[in-house]
């Protein structure tokens, strides 16, 4: 009892998302353990729980009993009394009995009132109402006292004698939101009996009318029957059709070959004299004319062309018609058929009207005010989905304060509606139906009203409703929960810190191994922001962020820079990137190319392969969107894959645009111009609204950082690192700018850039790329219908993407798109597995159930935990597919396998099951990743997907 008090108190005031009832359940299991060790259904459990609570309250009451005997709250709330009135072997009897849950049979009834009417009368009770006391036996139940909480147990399970196992009844059973119990009360016994007798008489008359109507609607003596009005209409249409003189086979030459080369005689128009003559007799399958046709007639015989003649001859009727009928006969027949059809239609309408009036009379039999004085309002509905020995339970409970229905499904509590309750609870629509209804007395609002403080008059809510001992218990549990959260946060932070340190150490080691000597020239700082004016001296910025102090030619330098940018932008519009990169913006009198572009057959003089030193190697590189270069570099110091990246292409193009500044003012000024041009380009990419197949985030890490509002220092250091890439050493000008960038990196002080934060942002980007690969691979496999292989990629891409999106809107990909294909993949696998099960062959059945157990069932919890409408509908569809097999005949071994499998499928727990390890991902270059991602996203865009 104390454990239940604690449980209910936690449900009122706990900070946790859900309360774990395990301790209370274990105590109840031990208390209710049966000697047979059989599993109990929910009705048996509820019966025992109420009895156990009643005994517990009684023991407590007897311990505290002083003076007047106390009332048991369980009895006062949940128990009522009824009077059993009947005849047993000719003797009348009356007994008063107590009831808690009132059991009602479901099979054969359409609504709750029909169930109650049948439950209140047992056996033949005519002798109860007659003076003659015969030997018939039977009894009636009349409620003498109803509890404030009235519970009906709907018996939806019955034992199938033929199959030797219990089965669930899925029939539809309607129940009202407000139930009037007056007709079942003992004080209304006589009135109810009179009304029942009247209803019985009306139903007998209704049965006769329905039988008579059925004769009109299903007329005939054969296996197929039709409405009589339609039969008369068809007869009238037949009689009114155009008469013909020939037999339906007379105009077909049965001896003609399949080619259709023989002439075909069309039916001749008949005269009045011919109509009065009897048809000619034939001695064989074809009629032989008495006179030979003339030569003129033979010439007019049409030739039947089977491939060109697409319609029937004009004189051949489309429907059967009478061969001989006079105008007088037709007039008399049409008059009779018209009259008979009108009579039949009038009789049918009268019968239907009478039936409707009787139904309405029966429905309104108890609608007078005297029989609407005991209203009970529906408060809770307990639902079961599945079969007799396996399934899942949830509940709908009405919240009077929010004035809506709430759905309690394991740890999920969501708002619902009357329409959803009806769909899940009435039955007949799917394998879910109500098994327990709880109504509360609508004239006792204190059962659901708010509690008020006796002294202040304020509404009590939450913890204020609890007694002192339970308040203390809940407070301690909340403090423990707060401590658990703190410990968990500390543990996660420690793990994250360890990961960051490991990444930083690895990055530092890699950087130290690949660093080279910096330029001997005095390094100058950089800044992504625009240059400060000549008279500004920024003193608050760190040293590596400061611009060079103005010199005597600073104004000239700025003007040259502006002209160079304008000229490069103009040339970019009508010239290729190769020409742009290879053209100097210096005056034409002294041209000097910055990057040597050549073919393998004509290398430039300064890069002749024969003169290469032993430690050098010469390589020809073709960079998309940039050009083809012959590069001389130290052995092992060049990475051709890095040169193919969009980052490197952009940097080389930016250096090409800054060539005039390089020639006039040296590498440092050219570096500032190049880095600002590159940043402006990436900023423009970040602000563009591009289709998914052209995602600039995959091409440029800076775009990813800008869209996710990374700190300025992170952006600057990342861009500096790109300009300091060792692969830029293929050209003297690029190498000089690379050395300037490395010098700027060396100027950055440790306190100016948080390296932990820097590594965190780069790790996030690596996670984004990894998620993209999972997503791309899963979608490619899905497009190839390889659903088993695609599932794990889609599952992990969705989970990783969700983690990314929790940090920002642009951290990951479209969640709805991934959710759609994850959902579709599961539905496809479910369909495949079900099809294998339906084959009934052992290898296929085992394979199908293996797919469900290993792949589909573990993923259902992932759909349920998100609690989106489409995911929940998908789970419902998958479960309905398998539950639909319950009522079908199948081999015993299949039935056994289905019985073992369904509880796993119907388990609605949102606890994440164990999965396979994430698939190992291949390594993709940036260029290859962007191309493949663009192809699959374009393919998805061309294929319309429902619900996406």
């Amino acid at each position: 009892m104390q454990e239940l008090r604690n449980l209910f108190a936690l449900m009122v005031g706990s900070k946790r998302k859900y309360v774990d009832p395990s301790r209370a359940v274990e105590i109840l299991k031990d208390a209710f353990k049966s000697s047979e060790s059989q599993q109990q259904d929910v009705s048996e459990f509820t019966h025992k729980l109420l009895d156990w609570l009643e005994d517990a309250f009684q023991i407590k009451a007897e311990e505290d009993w002083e003076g007047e005997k106390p009332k048991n709250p369980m009895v006062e709330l949940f128990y009522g009394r009824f009077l059993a009135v009947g005849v047993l072997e000719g003797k009348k009897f009356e007994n008063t009995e107590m009831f808690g849950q009132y059991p009602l049979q479901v099979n054969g009834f359409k609504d709750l009132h029909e169930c109650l009417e049948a439950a209140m009368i047992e056996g033949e009770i005519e002798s109860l109402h007659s003076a003659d006391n015969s030997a018939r036996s039977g009894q009636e139940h009349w409620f003498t006292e109803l509890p404030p909480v009235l519970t009906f147990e709907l018996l939806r399970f019955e034992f199938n004698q033929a199959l030797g196992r219990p089965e669930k009844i899925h029939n539809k059973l309607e129940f009202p939101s407000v139930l009037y119990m007056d007709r079942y009360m003992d004080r209304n016994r006589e009135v109810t009996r009179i009304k029942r007798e009247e209803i019985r008489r009306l139903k007998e008359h209704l049965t006769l009318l329905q039988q008579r109507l059925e004769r009109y609607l299903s007329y005939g003596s054969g296996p197929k029957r039709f409405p009589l009005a339609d039969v008369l209409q068809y007869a009238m249409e037949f009689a009114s059709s155009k008469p013909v003189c020939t037999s339906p086979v007379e105009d077909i030459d049965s001896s003609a070959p399949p080619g259709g080369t023989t002439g075909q005689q069309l039916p001749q128009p008949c005269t009045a004299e011919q109509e009065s003559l009897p048809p000619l007799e034939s001695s064989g399958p074809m009629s032989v004319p008495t006179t030979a046709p003339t030569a003129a007639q033979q010439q007019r015989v049409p030739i039947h062309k089977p491939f060109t003649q697409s319609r029937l001859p004009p004189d051949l009727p489309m429907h059967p018609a009478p061969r001989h009928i006079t105008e007088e006969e037709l007039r008399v027949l049409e008059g009779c058929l018209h009259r008979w059809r009108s009579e039949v239609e009038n009789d049918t309408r009268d019968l239907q009207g009478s039936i409707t009036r009787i139904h309405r009379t029966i429905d309104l039999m108890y609608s007078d005010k005297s029989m609407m004085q005991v209203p009970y309002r529906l408060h809770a509905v307990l639902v079961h989905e599945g079969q007799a020995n396996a399934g899942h339970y949830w509940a709908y409970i009405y919240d009077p304060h929010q004035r809506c229905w709430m759905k309690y499904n394991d740890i999920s509590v969501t708002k619902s509606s009357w329409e959803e309750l009806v769909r899940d609870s009435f039955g007949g629509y799917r394998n879910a139906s109500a098994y327990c209804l709880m109504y509360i007395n609508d004239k006792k609002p204190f059962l659901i009203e708010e509690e008020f403080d006796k002294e202040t008059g304020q509404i009590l809510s939450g913890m204020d409703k609890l007694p002192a001992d339970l308040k203390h218990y809940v407070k301690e549990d909340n403090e423990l929960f707060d401590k658990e959260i703190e410990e968990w946060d500390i543990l996660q932070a420690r793990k994250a810190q360890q990961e960051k340190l490991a990444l930083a150490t690895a990055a530092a080691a890699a950087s130290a191994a690949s660093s080279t000597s910096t330029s001997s020239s005095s390094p100058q700082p950089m800044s992504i922001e625009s240059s400060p004016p000549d008279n500004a001296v920024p003193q608050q910025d760190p040293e590596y962020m400061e611009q060079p102090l103005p010199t005597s030619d600073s104004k000239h330098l700025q003007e040259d820079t502006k002209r160079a940018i304008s000229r490069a932008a103009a040339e970019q519009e009508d010239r290729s990137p190769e020409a742009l990169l290879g053209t100097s913006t210096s005056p034409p009198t002294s041209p000097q190319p910055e990057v040597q572009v050549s073919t393998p057959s004509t290398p430039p003089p300064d890069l002749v392969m024969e003169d290469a030193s032993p430690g050098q190697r010469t390589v020809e590189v073709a960079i998309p969107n940039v050009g083809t270069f012959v590069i001389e570099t130290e052995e092992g110091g060049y990475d051709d894959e890095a040169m193919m990246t969009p980052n490197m292409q952009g940097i080389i193009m930016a250096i090409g645009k800054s060539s005039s500044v390089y020639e006039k003012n040296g590498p440092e000024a050219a570096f500032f111009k190049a880095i600002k041009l590159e940043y402006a380009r990436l900023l423009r990419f970040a602000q563009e609204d591009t289709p998914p197949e052209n995602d600039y985030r995959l091409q440029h890490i800076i775009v990813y950082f800008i869209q996710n509002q990374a700190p300025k220092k992170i952006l600057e250091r990342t861009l500096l690192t790109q300009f300091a890439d060792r692969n830029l050493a293929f050209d003297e000008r690029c190498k000089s700018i690379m050395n300037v960038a490395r010098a700027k990196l060396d100027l950055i002080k440790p306190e100016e850039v948080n390296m932990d934060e820097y590594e965190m942002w780069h790790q996030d980007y690596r996670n984004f790329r990894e998620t993209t690969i999972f997503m791309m691979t899963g979608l490619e496999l899905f497009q190839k219908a390889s659903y088993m292989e695609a599932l794990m990629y889609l599952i992990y891409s969705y989970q990783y993407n969700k983690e990314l999106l929790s940090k920002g809107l642009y951290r990951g990909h479209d969640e709805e798109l991934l959710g759609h294909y994850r959902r579709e993949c599961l539905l496809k696998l479910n369909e495949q597995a079900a099809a294998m099960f339906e084959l009934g062959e052992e290898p296929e059945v085992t394979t199908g159930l293996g797919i469900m157990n290993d792949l589909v069932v573990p993923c259902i919890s992932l759909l349920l935990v998100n609690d989106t409408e489409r995911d929940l509908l998908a789970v419902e569809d998958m479960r309905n597919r398998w539950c639909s097999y319950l009522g079908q005949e199948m081999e015993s071994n299949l039935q056994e396998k289905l019985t073992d499998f369904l509880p796993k499928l119907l388990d609605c727990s949102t606890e994440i099951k164990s999965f396979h390890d994430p698939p190992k991902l291949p390594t993709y270059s940036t260029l290859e990743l962007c191309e493949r991602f663009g192809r699959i996203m374009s393919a998805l865009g061309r294929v319309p997907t429902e619900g996406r």
Side-chain angles (χ1 to χ4, degrees), residues 10 13-20 473-489:
L10 289 175
S14 177
K15 293 181 180 179
R16 302 176 187 271
K17 180 181 178 181
Y18 59 90
V19 179
D20 185 3
Y473 175 79
V474 174
K475 184 178 179 181
E476 286 184 344
D477 185 78
N478 285 339
E479 291 174 354
L480 178 62
F481 179 60
D482 292 337
K483 186 176 180 181
E484 291 174 0
I485 291 178
E486 291 178 4
E487 293 175 353
W488 189 86
D489 289 341

Side-chain angles (χ1 to χ4, degrees), residues 110 150 205 277 300 572:
K110 69 176 184 179
L150 180 59
H205 185 47
L277 294 176
R300 291 194 300 269
Q572 189 178 17

